[in-house]
Amino acid sequence: MFDPSLALAGLLVGLLVGLTGMGGGALLTPLLVLVFKINPLTAISSDLLTSLVMKPVGAAVHARRRTVHWRLTGWLVLGAVPAGFAGAVLIGTIGTGIGVEDRLKVFIGIALVASVATTLFRQVMDRRGSRNAVDVDAPVVVRPVRTVLIGVVGGLAVGMTSVGAGSLIIAMLLLAYPQLHPSRLVGTDIVQAIPLVGAATLGHLFFGDVHVGLAAALLVGALPGVWLGARVSSAGTGRLVKPVVTAVLLASALALLGVPGPAVLGATAVALVVTVALLPRRRGTQAEPQRAPEPVGSRG
């Protein structure tokens, strides 16, 4: 039976994804586990299927605007696809044991903490402005070994927790290729995430607990939510949403890790203040380098 509350949850997540560019995995999986009390393995598996439908929207935008570094994407996929499938198989196998629900919550919580940390790291880099002056067509020397390793690490995280297709991989790419223009950084990440999430979803279909009906109910709200959020974001009115979302992600992570309530509230308040302080300063009338807007679902 169709559950309107799931569609509403999908609408909320889609709206936040469109507003902030953060990936649905970091938002939807903890929501399903903490609010809807869905088994963590089912939440991970169904979230991946939902993301698989959403991600091509942003990828198509970047492909049209030629902000994808295809050679870099190829090396990432080489490591990420088998790792994503292996991560799904591993977590699916663990998920059949006794008392694994708490362990899965810990895995998701750790991935969310890493996601928050990488979000703050990117804000620091954006505030410093170290990447904004880079020409979109600046040559990038691809390092195959390090790129494949980035794909492996990110793929395992996505397969096991559904979190990391954007947040973890994009931060590692930023460290490995600081000369990569922001639009190409995001475009490369979101395109490589399609086969990665596809491989992880396939692994969960075989060894996980994918509920197609659950994913369909979420998508009823998520797809229009993403579209609306992207429209609002493109008008420049979603700037202050990201600090709130980051604080909520940290609160969700700490709750999944079993941290006491007062400590969760204190850490969330600190994260909110820090994230607001790290927001990039507006430049007034100074022209900024032209770049493609970050499309929906680019960070997970």
Side-chain angles (χ1 to χ4, degrees):
M1 181 179 295
F2 175 74
D3 187 347
S5 63
L6 287 172
L8 183 61
L11 177 64
L12 174 63
V13 170
L15 183 64
L16 293 175
V17 168
L19 281 171
T20 66
M22 299 177 110
L27 297 167
L28 186 54
T29 298
L31 179 65
L32 293 175
V33 173
L34 294 173
V35 177
F36 290 92
K37 308 301 180 184
I38 291 174
N39 177 279
L41 183 59
T42 302
I44 293 169
S45 302
S46 302
D47 172 64
L48 284 168
L49 181 58
T50 304
S51 297
L52 183 60
V53 177
M54 292 173 61
K55 284 189 178 295
V57 178
V61 173
H62 274 289
R64 264 197 326 268
R65 299 190 177 190
R66 299 182 180 179
T67 50
V68 179
H69 195 296
W70 291 105
R71 187 162 182 262
L72 193 58
T73 299
W75 286 111
L76 283 170
V77 168
L78 187 63
V81 167
F85 184 83
V89 172
L90 178 60
I91 205 68
T93 303
I94 295 174
T96 59
I98 298 174
V100 298
E101 186 168 327
D102 290 337
R103 287 201 293 270
L104 290 180
K105 288 182 179 179
V106 170
F107 288 150
I108 299 170
I110 292 172
L112 287 175
V113 169
S115 178
V116 171
T118 54
T119 298
L120 293 176
F121 170 74
R122 287 200 66 198
Q123 282 193 250
V124 170
M125 296 299 291
D126 286 341
R127 187 175 177 83
R128 287 175 58 189
S130 59
R131 294 180 296 133
N132 290 341
V134 179
D135 185 359
V136 71
D137 295 320
V140 175
V141 178
V142 177
R143 310 291 184 184
V145 175
R146 74 173 63 171
T147 307
V148 171
L149 288 175
I150 290 172
V152 169
V153 173
L156 283 172
V158 171
M160 295 181 68
T161 67
S162 80
V163 179
S167 56
L168 298 179
I169 292 178
I170 209 166
M172 289 187 286
L173 282 176
L174 179 57
L175 284 172
Y177 300 101
Q179 74 274 33
L180 196 63
H181 189 276
S183 61
R184 299 189 81 186
L185 184 70
V186 174
T188 299
D189 174 72
I190 193 173
V191 169
Q192 69 83 30
I194 296 175
L196 163 56
V197 173
T201 302
L202 185 62
H204 278 276
L205 285 170
F206 288 143
F207 301 98
D209 190 21
V210 178
H211 284 200
V212 176
L214 172 61
L218 292 168
L219 283 168
V220 167
L223 291 177
V226 163
W227 178 84
L228 178 60
R231 297 267 302 184
V232 174
S233 178
S234 65
T237 55
R239 181 172 175 264
L240 294 178
V241 176
K242 183 178 288 186
V244 176
V245 174
T246 302
V248 169
L249 287 183
L250 181 60
S252 300
L254 297 178
L256 287 168
L257 293 172
V259 175
V264 171
L265 291 176
T268 302
V270 171
L272 182 60
V273 172
V274 170
T275 313
V276 170
L278 288 175
L279 282 173
R281 295 171 180 167
R282 295 188 181 277
R283 299 191 175 191
T285 58
Q286 183 178 351
E288 296 186 2
Q290 185 175 2
R291 62 179 181 179
E294 295 184 11
V296 297
S298 59
R299 304 176 196 168

